[in-house]
Amino acid sequence: VTDRRPPVGEFEWIARLVEILGGTAAPAGRPEIGDDVARIAGPDGTQWAWTVDTLVEDVHFRFDWLDPAPVGHRALTASLSDLAAGGAGPVGALVVLAGPPATIAERAEGIYRGIGDLARKSGCPILGGDLSRAAGPLHVTATALGRAPQGVLTRSGAEPGDAVWVTGRLGAPAAAIELLAADPAAGRAHAAYGRLAWPEARLDEIAWLRQRAPIHAVIDLSDGLSGDARHVAERSAVRLVLEADRVPIHPAALDAAGPDPARARAWALHGGEEFELLLCAPAGALAPLVEEFTARFDLPLTRIGTVAEGAGVAARGADGETPLEPRSWDHFG
Amino acid sequence: VTDRRPPVGEFEWIARLVEILGGTAAPAGRPEIGDDVARIAGPDGTQWAWTVDTLVEDVHFRFDWLDPAPVGHRALTASLSDLAAGGAGPVGALVVLAGPPATIAERAEGIYRGIGDLARKSGCPILGGDLSRAAGPLHVTATALGRAPQGVLTRSGAEPGDAVWVTGRLGAPAAAIELLAADPAAGRAHAAYGRLAWPEARLDEIAWLRQRAPIHAVIDLSDGLSGDARHVAERSAVRLVLEADRVPIHPAALDAAGPDPARARAWALHGGEEFELLLCAPAGALAPLVEEFTARFDLPLTRIGTVAEGAGVAARGADGETPLEPRSWDHFG
């Protein structure tokens, strides 16, 4: 949350990871490094989705901004949201805490309570884990496993002509981070704070949609809309054209932005730390479902653009198309 | 490797973990927190085994003792050995590195190579992972998933009357640690070093045994024979009586102990950092397999005791039974 810049050359390292480790997969089981989840086929053909995420103190969270329970909640949500992006329902999770004994003594119970409450609510039992002493910051790692009877969704299936949709309303987590950075007490008191502290993985929403319409590609917005739209464009070898003024902005972000709504729009476009989903589906497939979806989940489902041939991500405004560059790292750097 | 003492109250924290998180499991899916692996049933009834292990720099390894490739090798071996203890064959793994950018730039490639080479050799493709900056020590986390068509083995199935067996010869990793602590260069040059740097998970061995004999309980010796025997005794609600002078000692440990073979025996009984397996099986079940096992895997399989009614772990010597207390923490503290 405080410093989301990648390690020097993170993307180069991920490329090396694929190069060094990619060859370890059997020819029939190409590794899906770069997707939200790894995909595994069971002996009966059932597809399983699997993910792991580590949150590091003072990189992904700060204890003066978040109490232990929301830290645990966010750690499990990160993995559950990956399962949602894979169109999978949770089967279980394992949790690792590693940090100084004093930190563990002070924070572990709250973190476990945050994890446990979400595990019960989302039907994702915690089946085990690990606990280790470590100097330095606390690391909270969750790995989650899910099943996708209809197959695992990826970032790579978007097709020219698809419509681009987004769940929920964006920008509140980034707003909360700016407010906290300026004044932790005021930040905690603002309406935007809840979206940062208690985010929701869209597991039920994606399951409901998949039963009613074809979905070609999905990603969760952990890196921010502009950055994650780029991941879909790259992996699907297409161009995403977003109508920036259709992107739904969370009212708490608008409130936090005060007299400058452009700040709220920037949070919504680039802010990240969201667990909303971006979906690509055939034109006309989701529109008939919007009313029932919104009523059922008390959540907007908004068409924000189209998929075209080409590459990259563009914002289409009154003055035509302009490239939409990710700003998420700069925003938090 | 340098400081294996648990965080203050680790065992109390694990008890709290079970209390807080245990209730998240569905009634039919009691969490197996405390076993080497979590157990999951697929829709077709196939049992899956799942584990996660974190190695922390300066707790579980030191870069002045181990090059990056063995660090990666050990990280994946820890998870593969858990699968072996569960009687499962590997399906895949995810890997997380978290540390300072300078450490990642200097060490990640070697760590990935150690992981990748073992992944290929053991048929366990690396399917994804995570990479994060973090201040402080490097954390290397591996989570591995396996399938157990014959069902997942646990620590809890030992029965009075069973024989207790161990694979391989013990004590070399602990010997290597003592040698390294005294003189890193001399430690690296000693024959015991290879057992610390390049340990082997007994995946093929357990698969072969299970096809030929009933196995009631298994654990890998990561905490040391005395400590891990206690885990089996507690989880199975039985007493393990070990014939201490039957425990096979690795020749490199005897060499390192020099004129004091009692040191080598202490390393073998308490040292830990082993990935050999302790097995409990019906009396007479494994003895007929020893010759073929040893020839096939170039590895001893040795009966070292029996399972009795009662509790705890005892060593049976010339002067009767004495309690065998774990000394693994003291040994490295």
Side-chain angles (χ1 to χ4, degrees):
Chain A
V1 168
T2 54
D3 182 358
R4 299 177 69 253
R5 288 171 301 177
V8 179
E10 170 168 350
F11 295 111
E12 289 75 12
W13 274 114
I14 290 178
R16 289 292 293 146
L17 177 71
V18 172
E19 194 180 320
I20 296 173
L21 301 179
T24 62
R30 185 172 62 86
E32 298 294 321
I33 292 171
D35 268 317
D36 290 285
V37 292
R39 187 170 48 188
I40 291 165
D44 61 347
T46 303
Q47 285 199 17
W48 298 65
W50 187 20
T51 184
V52 63
D53 290 276
T54 292
L55 302 195
V56 179
E57 183 183 356
D58 292 334
V59 175
H60 303 95
F61 66 87
R62 289 169 51 165
F63 280 120
D64 55 340
W65 291 5
L66 287 180
D67 291 334
V71 168
H73 178 95
R74 281 190 66 87
L76 183 56
T77 299
S79 283
L80 293 179
S81 183
D82 285 337
L83 294 186
V91 168
L94 310 177
V95 172
V96 183
L97 285 191
T103 307
I104 288 174
E106 189 178 355
R107 318 283 196 186
E109 172 133 6
I111 292 170
Y112 287 155
R113 289 205 176 280
I115 292 171
D117 288 347
L118 178 57
R120 274 179 285 270
K121 189 181 151 203
S122 52
C124 180
I126 308 301
L127 301 171
D130 196 8
L131 177 69
S132 175
R133 67 162 57 219
L138 187 71
H139 293 226
V140 187
T141 300
T143 174
L145 194 61
R147 269 195 295 268
Q150 295 180 259
V152 170
L153 293 169
T154 70
R155 306 173 174 185
S156 54
E159 295 178 13
D162 281 356
V164 180
W165 295 78
V166 70
T167 63
R169 293 171 296 184
L170 310 183
I177 289 168
E178 285 215 8
L179 294 169
L180 287 163
D183 178 345
R188 282 171 175 260
H190 194 274
Y193 183 72
R195 297 291 305 144
L196 181 70
W198 302 104
E200 293 165 86
R202 299 306 182 193
L203 289 162
D204 295 341
E205 292 82 351
I206 190 71
W208 189 90
L209 286 171
R210 288 197 82 184
Q211 287 166 4
R212 289 161 178 79
I215 309 285
H216 286 166
V218 186
I219 194 168
D220 71 340
L221 297 181
S222 47
D223 286 349
L225 177 59
S226 57
D228 287 313
R230 180 163 307 262
H231 294 317
V232 171
E234 287 175 359
R235 298 274 300 178
S236 298
V238 295
R239 177 176 180 81
L240 265 62
V241 181
L242 304 184
E243 297 166 49
D245 55 8
R246 291 185 61 92
V247 172
I249 301 177
H250 198 283
L254 284 167
D255 181 81
D260 184 8
R263 284 177 75 203
R265 181 162 305 279
W267 291 329
L269 286 178
H270 307 294
E273 305 294 338
E274 308 269 9
F275 294 100
E276 299 297 349
L277 299 179
L278 179 149
L279 308 99
C280 299
L286 298 193
L289 303 172
V290 167
E291 192 174 347
E292 191 179 349
F293 179 96
T294 303
R296 184 179 190 92
F297 298 107
D298 192 21
L299 193 75
L301 177 66
T302 311
R303 197 183 68 75
I304 60 166
T306 54
V307 178
E309 294 191 4
V313 180
R316 177 187 287 152
D319 48 354
E321 290 186 13
T322 53
L324 186 66
E325 299 290 343
R327 294 214 314 246
S328 35
W329 306 125
D330 300 327
H331 193 63
F332 292 89
Chain B
V1 168
T2 54
D3 182 358
R4 300 176 69 253
R5 288 172 300 178
V8 179
E10 169 167 351
F11 295 111
E12 288 76 9
W13 274 113
I14 290 178
R16 287 293 293 146
L17 177 73
V18 172
E19 192 179 323
I20 297 173
L21 301 179
T24 62
R30 185 172 62 87
E32 298 295 321
I33 292 171
D35 269 317
D36 290 287
V37 293
R39 188 170 47 188
I40 291 165
D44 61 348
T46 302
Q47 284 198 17
W48 299 64
W50 186 18
T51 184
V52 64
D53 290 276
T54 291
L55 302 194
V56 179
E57 183 184 356
D58 293 334
V59 175
H60 303 95
F61 66 88
R62 288 169 50 164
F63 280 121
D64 55 340
W65 291 3
L66 288 181
D67 291 334
V71 168
H73 177 95
R74 281 189 67 87
L76 184 55
T77 299
S79 283
L80 293 179
S81 182
D82 286 336
L83 295 186
V91 168
L94 310 177
V95 173
V96 183
L97 285 192
T103 306
I104 288 174
E106 189 179 354
R107 317 283 196 186
E109 172 135 6
I111 292 168
Y112 287 157
R113 290 204 175 281
I115 292 171
D117 288 348
L118 178 57
R120 272 180 286 270
K121 188 181 151 206
S122 52
C124 181
I126 308 301
L127 301 170
D130 196 6
L131 177 68
S132 176
R133 69 164 53 220
L138 186 71
H139 293 225
V140 187
T141 301
T143 174
L145 193 62
R147 268 195 297 269
Q150 295 179 259
V152 171
L153 294 169
T154 71
R155 306 174 175 186
S156 54
E159 296 177 14
D162 282 354
V164 181
W165 295 77
V166 69
T167 63
R169 292 171 296 183
L170 310 182
I177 289 167
E178 284 215 8
L179 295 169
L180 287 163
D183 179 345
R188 281 171 177 259
H190 194 274
Y193 183 72
R195 297 290 306 146
L196 182 71
W198 302 104
E200 293 165 85
R202 300 304 182 195
L203 290 161
D204 294 340
E205 291 82 352
I206 190 71
W208 188 90
L209 286 171
R210 288 196 82 183
Q211 286 167 4
R212 288 162 178 80
I215 309 285
H216 286 168
V218 186
I219 195 169
D220 71 341
L221 298 181
S222 47
D223 286 349
L225 177 58
S226 57
D228 286 313
R230 181 163 305 263
H231 293 318
V232 171
E234 286 175 358
R235 298 276 299 178
S236 298
V238 295
R239 175 175 180 82
L240 265 61
V241 181
L242 304 185
E243 298 167 48
D245 55 9
R246 291 184 61 92
V247 172
I249 302 177
H250 198 283
L254 284 168
D255 181 81
D260 184 8
R263 285 177 75 202
R265 182 162 304 278
W267 291 330
L269 285 178
H270 308 292
E273 303 294 338
E274 307 269 9
F275 294 101
E276 299 298 348
L277 299 179
L278 180 150
L279 307 99
C280 299
L286 298 193
L289 303 173
V290 168
E291 191 174 348
E292 191 179 350
F293 179 95
T294 303
R296 184 179 190 95
F297 297 109
D298 192 21
L299 195 75
L301 178 66
T302 310
R303 197 182 68 74
I304 59 167
T306 54
V307 178
E309 294 190 5
V313 180
R316 176 185 290 153
D319 48 352
E321 289 186 14
T322 52
L324 185 67
E325 299 290 343
R327 292 215 314 247
S328 35
W329 306 124
D330 300 327
H331 193 63
F332 293 90

